[in-house]
Amino acid sequence: RDQLWVQHNGRLFRINASKGKFAENETEEDELVAPFSCKVLKVHAQSGQEIKKGESVVTVEAMKMEYSYHAPKDGKIKNVNIKEGEIISEGTQFVSWEE
């Protein structure tokens, strides 16, 4: 799929080889999406919550490892699209942001 996901020092990076682009923390649109299938362990944010860049949003488990995802920007969460205990697939958007 021409994408490479790399985790380094607790941060997740996506490299899009076909477009020659490099995006830090999720996608170019600053959205939080699952880079692979995983189980949602803890949702730290709620719909309508004001959140600061770097605050925890969700913790998931995959391949016997835990991964925490943090807000890539300051903003207000419009919807939380996942539930604790849910198995989600690659590309699932964890939350949507108010504009």
Side-chain angles (χ1 to χ4, degrees):
R1 292 219 207 141
D2 297 329
Q3 292 185 6
L4 175 65
W5 292 88
V6 178
Q7 185 171 4
H8 177 69
N9 288 337
R11 300 197 68 175
L12 187 65
F13 300 89
R14 179 172 59 103
I15 301 169
N16 188 333
S18 66
K19 295 181 183 177
K21 292 185 177 178
F22 174 82
E24 180 182 352
N25 269 3
E26 325 319 328
T27 69
E28 293 92 356
E29 298 87 22
D30 285 332
E31 296 299 335
L32 291 170
V33 296
F36 38 71
S37 296
C38 54
K39 180 179 181 180
V40 179
L41 295 179
K42 179 73 176 164
V43 178
H44 304 280
Q46 300 176 20
S47 296
Q49 179 180 346
E50 291 282 343
I51 198 159
K52 297 284 186 190
K53 181 177 180 175
E55 286 186 59
S56 293
V57 176
V58 63
T59 302
V60 299
E61 178 184 45
M63 300 170 281
K64 298 183 181 181
M65 295 184 68
E66 287 188 14
Y67 302 88
S68 292
Y69 294 91
H70 307 279
K73 61 183 180 181
D74 292 346
K76 188 173 185 179
I77 295 178
K78 182 176 182 180
N79 291 313
V80 175
N81 304 320
I82 55 173
K83 296 177 185 166
E84 290 181 11
E86 182 178 21
I87 305 293
I88 57 174
S89 59
E90 175 184 344
T92 300
Q93 187 176 14
F94 296 136
V95 297
S96 54
W97 302 91
E98 286 194 9
E99 303 209 14

